[in-house]
């Protein structure tokens, strides 16, 4: 049996995969597969409406926010959001590689003030005590740092419009949407496959847009004038959206994001406590900044020479995707919503077994 800890794309709920296979063969009892229908067929328009409804229900998204499903990944949002909302100056929190990329793109459109950075300690913590300038057009954060395993686990207060890249922790906990002006992310970490990007946006934000933008770059285009056109200005990525739909149905069936959060915390606690107990390993993120989605750890100083050996040991035991990102090294276990507790337990057992050979 394989235990999938890939950082993204990553493990998805089995029922979602099965439903997608069925839909490829025969979508909505049409006798035609989902890849071969028009996105204007009533069955698809209904599905789009249902996916949006699921997002609204699971995250308690108020009416004055639009929920969009677009192409291009979170990386496309880095410049799109800046093109729409950066008129003079924007504030950014620099908590890792993805923040840095977002900052780089924003600079194409105006001044960027980096209010704080944890780059001094290889992004092993979430900065605190910084000041958000009140004259900024918006304040941008990366809620979960997929590569470094740190996470902003609460909804922060911002005196200016708060924009969050939640690619890797959306739907892992309940969030207070009203604290955010915009939330976006690629689906391929926690809510679906690659190919669809979610954007939750407070509609009044659109009134602040000053630039003339290409249609595809303008959020208003995708919001449309009637709900029927929402996210359907051009052909949407139907299969990724369908898999996302099924993934969220599964989240709902399990009790919603509160239930997910409970089990996510349990999984993270299980793995972190083993890292802290086991003499062979150490965690790389500061304890209070630890992510419940991506758990990063390295060999302890006196066991540095055994990294390749543990990798081989774990691979033989069925662990997949635990190699750490090159900027941190060591290991990273991504334990998103769809990663079962049994997989985390299997990894913990594997770490215990490995320790027995040496301690
Ligand atoms: C993966 C990831 C991205 C990049 O997403 P793409 O959809 O590949 O562009 C951006 N931000 C975070 C936090 C990520 O984890």
């Amino acid at each position: 049996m394989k235990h999938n800890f890939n950082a993204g794309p990553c493990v998805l709920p089995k029922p979602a995969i099965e439903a997608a296979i069925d839909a490829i063969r025969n979508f909505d009892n049409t006798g035609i597969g989902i890849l071969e229908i028009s996105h204007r067929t009533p069955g698809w328009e209904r599905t789009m409406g249902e996916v949006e409804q699921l997002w609204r229900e699971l995250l308690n998204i108020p009416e004055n926010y639009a929920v969009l499903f677009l192409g291009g990944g979170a990386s496309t949002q880095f410049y799109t959001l800046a093109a729409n909302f950066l008129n003079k100056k924007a504030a950014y929190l620099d908590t890792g590689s993805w923040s840095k990329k977002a900052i780089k793109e924003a600079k194409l459109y105006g001044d960027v003030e980096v209010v704080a950075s944890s780059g001094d300690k290889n992004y092993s913590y979430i900065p605190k005590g910084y000041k958000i300038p009140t004259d900024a057009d918006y304040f941008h954060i990366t809620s979960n740092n997929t590569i470094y395993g740190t996470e902003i686990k609460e909804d922060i207060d911002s005196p200016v419009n708060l924009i969050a890249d939640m690619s890797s922790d959306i739907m892992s906990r309940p969030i207070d949407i009203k604290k955010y002006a915009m939330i976006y992310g690629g689906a391929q970490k926690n809510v679906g496959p690659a190919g669809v990007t979610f954007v939750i946006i407070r509609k009044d934000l659109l009134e602040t847009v000053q630039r003339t933008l290409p249609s595809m770059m303008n959020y208003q285009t995708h919001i449309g004038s009637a709900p029927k056109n929402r996210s359907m200005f051009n052909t949407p990525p139907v299969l990724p959206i369908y898999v996302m739909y099924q993934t969220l149905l599964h989240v709902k069936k399990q009790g919603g994001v509160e239930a997910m959060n409970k089990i996510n915390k349990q999984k993270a606690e299980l793995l972190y406590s083993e890292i802290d107990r086991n003499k062979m390993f150490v965690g790389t993120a500061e304890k209070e900044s630890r992510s419940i989605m991506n758990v990063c750890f390295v060999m302890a100083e006196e066991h540095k020479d055994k990294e390749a050996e543990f990798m081989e040991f774990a691979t033989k035991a069925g662990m997949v995707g635990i190699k750490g990102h090159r900027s941190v090294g060591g290991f990273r276990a991504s334990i998103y919503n769809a990663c079962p507790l049994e997989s985390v337990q299997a990894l913990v057992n594997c770490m215990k077994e490995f320790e027995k050979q040496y301690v």
Side-chain angles (χ1 to χ4, degrees), residues 7-9 71-78 97-99 101-102 140-147 165-169 184-189 193-197 294 332 336:
S75 302
T76 297
Q77 295 307 313
F78 292 165
S97 309
W98 294 116
S99 304
K101 286 183 182 169
H140 181 283
I141 58 169
T142 313
S143 60
N144 184 65
N145 300 284
T146 324
I147 292 173
D165 171 359
M166 289 200 185
S167 294
S168 52
D169 65 350
Y184 69 95
Q188 71 273 21
K189 313 283 164 61
V196 57
T197 313
N294 310 95
R332 168 177 55 174
Y336 301 119

Side-chain angles (χ1 to χ4, degrees), residues 184-326:
Y184 69 95
Q188 71 273 21
K189 313 283 164 61
N190 221 12
V191 288
V196 57
T197 313
F198 58 87
V199 176
I200 303 164
I201 191 164
R202 207 178 60 224
K203 287 185 238 171
D204 66 33
L205 213 59
L206 279 309
E207 290 158 23
T208 67
V209 177
Q210 291 176 11
R211 275 185 197 89
T212 306
L213 296 164
S215 308
M216 280 295 286
M217 256 173 101
N218 193 330
Y219 291 113
Q220 190 60 60
T221 305
H222 301 288
I223 292 173
S225 47
K228 235 178 102 171
N229 296 328
R230 191 148 299 163
S231 303
M232 298 257 265
F233 171 73
N234 72 323
T235 319
V238 290
L239 187 61
I241 292 175
Y242 191 78
V243 181
M244 179 173 75
Y245 171 52
Q246 293 295 334
T247 303
L248 296 184
L249 279 178
H250 189 65
V251 169
K252 184 178 165 180
K253 209 181 254 171
Q254 289 172 288
V257 287
E258 253 156 59
M260 294 319 306
N261 189 235
K262 221 170 131 192
I263 174 119
N264 285 332
K265 279 183 174 162
Q266 208 181 332
K267 287 186 290 182
E269 167 69 24
L270 178 63
L271 187 46
Y272 282 122
S273 51
E274 175 59 18
I275 291 167
D276 293 340
R277 186 209 61 79
N278 195 312
K279 300 224 167 17
M280 314 276 305
F281 304 99
V282 284
T284 57
E286 279 185 12
K287 280 191 182 169
E288 62 174 18
S289 301
R290 281 173 165 178
S291 164
I292 61 165
M293 297 275 95
N294 310 95
V295 179
C296 298
F297 54 102
V298 294
M299 300 307 301
E301 206 47 53
E302 61 273 35
H303 296 292
K304 277 273 179 260
D305 56 325
K306 301 184 186 72
E307 187 171 309
E309 200 183 320
F310 177 68
M311 185 54 106
E312 202 190 321
F313 186 84
T315 305
K316 271 199 189 125
M319 309 303 139
V320 176
I322 59 163
K323 193 174 167 49
H325 190 274
R326 62 187 177 281

